[in-house]
Amino acid sequence: MLTALEKGVKGGVWFSLIDKVYAKANLSAGCSQVRANGGAAGVDHVATEDFAAHLETNLEKLTEALRQGTYNPQAVRRVYIPKPDGTQRPLGIPTVRDRVVQTAIRNVLEPIYERDFAEHSYGFRPGRGCKDALHRVDELLKAGHYYVVDADLKSYFDSIPHERLMQRIRSKIADGRVLHLLEQFLTQGILDGLDEWTPEEGTPQGAVISPLLANIYLDPLDHLLAGQGLAMVRYADDFVILCRTPEEAQRALALVQQWTAEVGLTLHPTKTRLVDIRQEGFDFLGYHFQTTKTGIQHWPRKKSLDKLKDSLRAKTKRTNGTALLCIITAVNRTLRGWFGYFKHSYKITFPPLDSWIRMRLRSILRKRQGRRGRGRGADHQRWPNKFFAEQGLYSLVEAHRLACQSSRG
C-alpha cells in the first residue's frame, strides 16, 4: 500500500482495502489509539480498559466479523456538553469496539486522502494543528491581506448530505465492504435516554471517523479557492479567506456562497461577514485578531477568557477550605494548559489576568481572617505579589517573558 501511495493506483481509485482494515496489526494499533484518547463507555457499558483486558479475544472477534462482512455498529450514546452561553452541545459516544474499527478505517483511508488534501487545510490532519493555522493567518495579515471573509458554516457536521458525501468517497474508494462500513457508521442509531433514531444527514460528532469525512467533503472548496488564487485558512469547518482588496473579498464570498448552496450546506447569515482588519477585528480558533497602535496583534477572544475565568472561579471560591498550596497547585495546572495555547498573545493580555488571579486568592485569605469582600487595598501589603510567587503561583507574565526570550534565542 505504501508503494502504491508513492506511485499512485490506476485511475486513482482503490479497490482492495478491507483486508488492510481488519489486519490484526491495524486493529491493535487502533485499540492503542482509542485507549490513548480515553473517553467514556458507549451503550454497551464497556470501557476502554475492559476492552483491553480481553484484547486478543476482542480483536479476533472484530477481525472475523469484518472479514465475513457481519460486523454491525451499535447505537451511539448521546450526551450533552454545557456551552458558555448556557446552551448545550450534543456529543455522540460510540462503543469502544466501534471506535477501534473506525480508527482502523481512518488509518487506511487517511494516507490516501492526505496525498491530495489542500495545503491550507489544517484541522485533524497528521503533523498539522491550530498553531500552524494561526501562524498562517498572522503571516497573511502582516503581508497586507487586510480584507477578511469570516465564514461560518451553520451546523456543518450535522448537515453533511450522506449521499453526496458517499459519492465523493466513491471517486477514490471502490471497495464495497469499506463503503458499506462507512454507510453503516453514518446511519448508526442515536440513543438519547430512552429515545433512539437514525440520522438522515450529518456525521456523528464524537465519532473517530467524522473529522476525516468532514475534511473530504470540504476538500473541493479548498481546491476551488486555491485555483482562484485566494488565500484560505481552514481548520475543519472553521475558515477565513484573507484578501488584498475589498473586491477580491466580495468575489471570494460569492464563490463560497455558490459552492455551499450547490452541495447542500448553509452559511450562517449573521456570523458570516466581510471584515477590514484596520477597522474591526475577527475571531479565529480562540484568538481575536485586530489592528492596534503597534500593528496587527492577536489575543484570546472574549469567550476564551471567560472560559478560563469560569474554570478558575470554580477553584478559587472564598469558601474553599483547601490549603492554599493545594489551591495554587490546581490553579497552576489550568494556567499552564491555557498558556500553552495562548502564549503567542499580545503581551498586554497577561498582567490583568495575573492581577485578577491574585485578587481571587487574596479574597480567600481575607475570608479566612473573618474579613468580608474581595481582596484589595491593604490586602496588597498583607499578601504582596512576592508572597504568591514564593508559594509557587504560576505567573503568566513571567511565562510570556521566558517564552519570548526562548523564541529570540
Side-chain angles (χ1 to χ4, degrees), residues 2-18:
L2 288 172
T3 303
L5 282 169
E6 291 172 6
K7 297 181 178 179
V9 292
K10 188 175 180 181
V13 180
W14 295 75
F15 285 88
S16 181
L17 294 173
I18 190 65

Side-chain angles (χ1 to χ4, degrees), residues 360-401:
R360 299 283 303 178
L361 295 175
R362 288 187 181 107
S363 298
I364 293 173
L365 295 173
R366 184 180 176 85
K367 172 79 172 175
R368 290 178 182 180
Q369 288 191 350
R371 302 170 186 269
R372 301 178 64 183
R374 295 188 309 169
R376 54 190 171 186
D379 293 330
H380 289 265
Q381 283 73 51
R382 290 189 188 95
W383 304 288
N385 295 354
K386 183 181 177 183
F387 168 80
F388 294 106
E390 290 170 349
Q391 301 301 310
L393 178 64
Y394 187 80
S395 167
L396 294 170
V397 169
E398 180 64 12
H400 184 252
R401 186 185 68 79

Side-chain angles (χ1 to χ4, degrees), residues 90-132:
L91 183 69
I93 302 178
T95 60
V96 174
R97 68 192 282 273
D98 286 344
R99 301 205 298 262
V100 170
V101 172
Q102 287 189 24
T103 304
I105 294 173
R106 186 190 64 192
N107 290 346
V108 172
L109 297 187
E110 191 172 67
I112 294 172
Y113 284 94
E114 272 296 317
R115 295 177 72 250
D116 301 317
F117 275 160
E119 180 66 24
H120 57 252
S121 166
Y122 294 91
F124 305 107
R125 294 183 60 190
R128 290 165 169 259
C130 289
K131 292 176 183 177
D132 303 302

Side-chain angles (χ1 to χ4, degrees), residues 71-91:
Y71 181 86
N72 289 303
Q74 295 171 280
V76 173
R77 181 165 69 89
R78 172 64 60 88
V79 296
Y80 294 89
I81 308 298
K83 295 172 70 174
D85 61 4
T87 60
Q88 292 187 316
R89 181 170 70 91
L91 183 69

Side-chain angles (χ1 to χ4, degrees), residues 120-124 130 133-134 137 149-154 156-157 214-215 218 221-222 232-241 271 282-287 301 341:
H120 57 252
S121 166
Y122 294 91
F124 305 107
C130 289
L134 291 164
V137 169
V149 179
D150 183 10
D152 187 279
L153 288 170
K154 190 174 180 181
Y156 172 61
F157 280 85
N215 275 336
L218 285 180
L221 176 62
D222 295 342
M232 177 191 198
V233 181
R234 182 172 70 81
Y235 191 94
D237 59 330
D238 197 357
F239 65 91
V240 288
I241 307 165
K271 294 182 180 179
F282 68 94
D283 295 338
F284 185 62
L285 298 181
Y287 276 88
R301 67 173 183 165
Y341 186 78

